[in-house]
Structures are given as C-alpha cells and as structure tokens.
Amino acid sequence: MTQSFDLKINENSRIPKYKQIIDSILADIARGNIKVGEKIPSINELSEMCYLSRDTVEKAYKQLRDRQIIVSVKGKGYYITRMDKINKLSIFFLVNKPSTYKMMIYDSFVNAIGAYGQVEMYVYHCDETLFINALERNMGAHDYYIVMPHFRDNNSNHVSYTDNIIKVLEEIPKDKLIMLDNTKPGITGEYGTIYQDFKNDIYNALKEALDKIRKYDKLILVYPNKSANPYPRRIVHGFQRFCSEYDIDFEILDEIYDDMEFEGRDVYITIQERDLVNLMRQIRNNKLQLGKDVGIISYNETPLKELLDITVISTDFVALGESAAYMVLKNKKEKVKNVFKYIERNSL
C-alpha cells in the first residue's frame, strides 16, 4: 500500500464525505503523491483510518471504479489503474447555448468519460459563423468532435443545417464525429448520433397527458418565434398534429404577455424559462389555483421545475451525455433516439 496516502476529511464541510474521498485521491494522483499501480487502502482500512462509515467509502470507490481511476484485484485489493490511456482522448465539444439543460448534457458526458478524456467545450450561440470558425480552427487537433447542431437564420428562426454547415461537417473524419440532440441523415459515412425526434416526441408526450389536458378548455403553446437561441419548428408541428387528431382547441403565442387574459380554464406549454416565471407570477397575482384553474406543462426538465412541482415533457439530458460518452469509449457509430419523458406533477 502506498505510504503517501494521506486522506483528510473536513468534518465541517458541506461537501459529502464520499465526494471528499474522490477529490482527495484525484488530487494526490495529479500531484504525483500516488503513483500508477500503487495499492490504496481497502474499504475497511480507509473506514477505520478516517472514522467513516463503510458505506461512505464504498460509494466513493464505486465511483472511482466506474470512472476507471482505480481497479479492484480479487484477493489483493484496490490499485490505481494504468494511466497510459488516461487523458489519451482529446474531445472537442460544441454546445449551441449555455442553458441549464445543455450543461446537464455536457456535465454527464464529462463525468462518464472520466479520466480517459480531456474535453474542451466551445459555445457557439446558435451562430453559423462561430460554429464553422471553431471547427476549422480545431480540425485535426482532436480525437473526437461532439456537436449539437442548432442555428438561427437571418430572421432568427431555427435552422438545423445549412450547406456551409454540412460542408464543414463532411470534413470531419466520420469515426471522430458524434452528433447530439439534432441529426442530419444526409451526411455521408458512418458516425455516431444520439438525437431527439422533436415532432413525434411532443406528440407522444401529450398523448400520455391527454386525460389531464381534456380537463381544460384550451391548450396553449408558448413558442418564441424570434429568439437568439431558437427552438426547432418541429415542436410546433408535433403540437399541431396532436391538437388536430384529438380535437383539442389550441392557440400558439409568441410569449407570455404581461396582464394575460385568463378566461376559461387553459393549460399552457412553456418553453423558455422567463415565460414560465411570468406565467406563474400572474397566476399567483390573480389568485388562481395551479393545476385547477390554470395548468402548466414545461418543456425540458430542470431541478428547479422538479422542486416547484411543474409537469414537464423532456428528453433525458443525462442519458444523452452518457450515451455520447459510451460511443466515444467503445468506439461505436450508432444512431440512437434519446429517451423522451412525460413527467406528471401537480401543475396539470
């Protein structure tokens, strides 16, 4: 066992103790205090050394094993894994906007890659020129290129691809390309993609909520037509298809306006956070009961919506990032539709 192993736990810190164990071991590896192939204390030994519960140490070691930082050898104990593969992969990660849920994708990807990759993130703000320039500057410099293709045209409408975008994507070796969130079947070669089916996802999610929706007089989609970070128009198409097939009275608004006219019992689907906040504020000010007088379905799950008990329709952002990491680590070139969920809460 390494003699330099000197784990310190801060009893007064609000950081969970298992996380302190992980951070301490990673820091010691980075400083060279723990060498590759060195044995570290067993779960029982570390538990006794630091006066920690066995479950706490076991949770830390499990995460370190999952990230391939340590390896367990039957009958011998735990060792720092080989480092010749660690940080071997250089990954360029292009995000269209720095929203909460896009960062959830990025964070889950980085966590799943663990010590086997160095990830460089670039935010191109749905701007075609920034996207192209970033790729051209980094062409050939990385082992993988992870891209989320969402752009805006001159009228601030959503565009999935342009001829120039396709041209620069075709320059990337396909075994190094993984496309997230949005896909383009016409791109040549075998490459990985984990995508949303925006039209059918909202259609199928609203079908699950049909009984609840029928309690209301009208279904209203708040879809921002002009936005710096526009949303796919396929969301609107899926919404319209649902309302048409199930004979639902509907309306599409650009935004939640100040001093909304709350007439009848309406259910709103909000996409942007500011519309959700504005709507909830007006519901409160008008002394309306959420889930009875007015319903809310929000697009894209966040921890805050869970806390506020807001019904959501959402792709699984964590799964999206983890699936991309799996394709990188296993060198897969699969085309996978990501999971999309209807999560019912008390706002509907």
Side-chain angles (χ1 to χ4, degrees):
M1 183 175 69
T2 176
Q3 300 301 309
S4 56
F5 195 91
D6 184 23
L7 184 69
K8 291 183 173 62
I9 298 295
N10 183 352
E11 295 290 344
N12 295 319
S13 174
R14 298 300 185 266
I15 299 174
K17 291 182 177 58
Y18 80 90
K19 182 71 166 57
Q20 292 189 51
I21 296 172
I22 294 171
D23 291 344
S24 180
I25 290 175
L26 291 177
D28 276 342
I29 293 173
R31 288 191 290 262
N33 295 339
I34 305 177
K35 306 296 183 182
V36 177
E38 282 192 282
K39 187 178 181 182
I40 61 174
S42 69
I43 292 174
N44 287 335
E45 287 171 338
L46 191 58
S47 175
E48 292 175 7
M49 286 168 53
C50 299
Y51 305 101
L52 297 168
S53 74
R54 193 180 188 282
D55 288 345
T56 297
V57 180
E58 190 171 27
K59 185 174 183 179
Y61 276 27
K62 180 182 184 305
Q63 291 201 15
L64 288 167
R65 285 200 311 272
D66 290 345
R67 294 171 62 178
Q68 300 177 322
I69 305 297
I70 65 174
V71 62
S72 60
V73 179
K74 188 174 182 180
K76 293 187 176 181
Y78 292 90
Y79 295 82
I80 302 299
T81 191
R82 291 177 57 195
M83 300 293 284
D84 56 349
K85 294 182 180 178
I86 289 182
N87 293 329
K88 175 183 177 182
L89 295 174
S90 175
I91 302 165
F92 193 49
F93 200 106
L94 280 85
V95 182
N96 63 302
K97 59 182 177 180
S99 63
T100 300
Y101 39 93
K102 293 303 172 76
M103 291 303 99
M104 288 171 66
I105 298 172
Y106 173 76
D107 288 343
S108 68
F109 176 83
V110 171
N111 288 336
I113 287 291
Y116 278 95
Q118 183 69 35
V119 186
E120 179 182 342
M121 185 181 74
Y122 180 84
V123 182
Y124 64 92
H125 302 285
C126 295
D127 184 281
E128 175 184 356
T129 301
L130 292 178
F131 179 89
I132 292 172
N133 289 345
L135 274 180
E136 289 181 341
R137 285 196 308 269
N138 288 275
M139 198 68 71
H142 300 275
D143 297 301
Y144 280 94
Y145 296 84
I146 315 296
V147 302
M148 296 184 195
H150 294 280
F151 307 92
R152 64 176 177 274
D153 63 16
N154 292 332
N155 296 315
S156 294
N157 294 317
H158 180 274
V159 178
S160 296
Y161 296 89
T162 65
D163 291 341
N164 290 331
I165 295 297
I166 293 175
K167 182 179 178 181
V168 73
L169 289 176
E170 289 285 17
E171 294 176 11
I172 302 174
K174 298 309 178 293
D175 60 343
K176 296 186 174 187
L177 175 64
I178 295 179
M179 297 176 51
L180 294 188
D181 208 32
N182 204 4
T183 190
K184 176 68 175 176
I187 295 175
T188 60
E190 293 293 324
Y191 58 92
T193 179
I194 307 102
Y195 64 95
Q196 296 189 60
D197 182 353
F198 293 96
K199 179 177 179 179
N200 289 317
D201 282 344
I202 188 171
Y203 171 84
N204 291 323
L206 292 177
K207 276 176 61 177
E208 289 190 54
L210 181 60
D211 289 342
K212 291 282 189 177
I213 290 171
R214 288 202 185 280
K215 298 190 311 179
Y216 297 89
D217 301 320
K218 180 182 280 191
L219 180 60
I220 299 171
L221 173 64
V222 187
Y223 176 86
N225 261 318
K226 308 295 180 184
S227 174
N229 298 306
Y231 295 83
R233 192 72 187 174
R234 284 164 284 167
I235 295 173
V236 175
H237 299 158
F239 171 80
Q240 292 173 322
R241 176 189 167 197
F242 168 78
C243 294
S244 175
E245 289 189 11
Y246 290 94
D247 195 27
I248 303 292
D249 186 21
F250 73 92
E251 186 174 1
I252 300 175
L253 303 178
D254 290 337
E255 61 180 299
I256 292 293
Y257 302 98
D258 294 332
D259 301 319
M260 290 282 290
E261 298 289 340
F262 292 100
E263 297 181 2
R265 299 173 68 250
D266 300 331
V267 56
Y268 292 81
I269 302 174
T270 62
I271 296 178
Q272 291 193 327
E273 301 293 289
R274 64 172 176 264
D275 287 319
L276 175 61
V277 171
N278 194 0
L279 178 60
M280 292 191 67
R281 182 184 296 115
Q282 293 190 56
I283 289 172
R284 181 193 61 195
N285 292 342
N286 283 277
K287 295 182 172 54
L288 299 172
Q289 184 176 342
L290 185 61
K292 183 177 180 181
D293 302 313
V294 180
I296 294 180
I297 302 172
S298 190
Y299 200 90
N300 290 331
E301 171 75 310
T302 64
L304 184 59
K305 292 173 188 177
E306 180 182 8
L307 184 65
L308 295 175
D309 210 17
I310 302 296
T311 296
V312 295
I313 52 177
S314 178
T315 200
D316 188 329
F317 297 108
V318 172
L320 208 161
E322 289 175 345
S323 296
Y326 171 81
M327 287 191 184
V328 168
L329 294 173
K330 300 298 183 180
N331 193 27
K332 298 288 186 180
K333 302 177 185 64
E334 301 172 351
K335 290 179 170 54
V336 178
K337 179 189 174 303
N338 201 49
V339 176
F340 196 89
K341 300 177 180 179
Y342 163 65
I343 305 174
E344 186 175 300
R345 299 186 179 120
N346 288 325
S347 66
L348 187 58

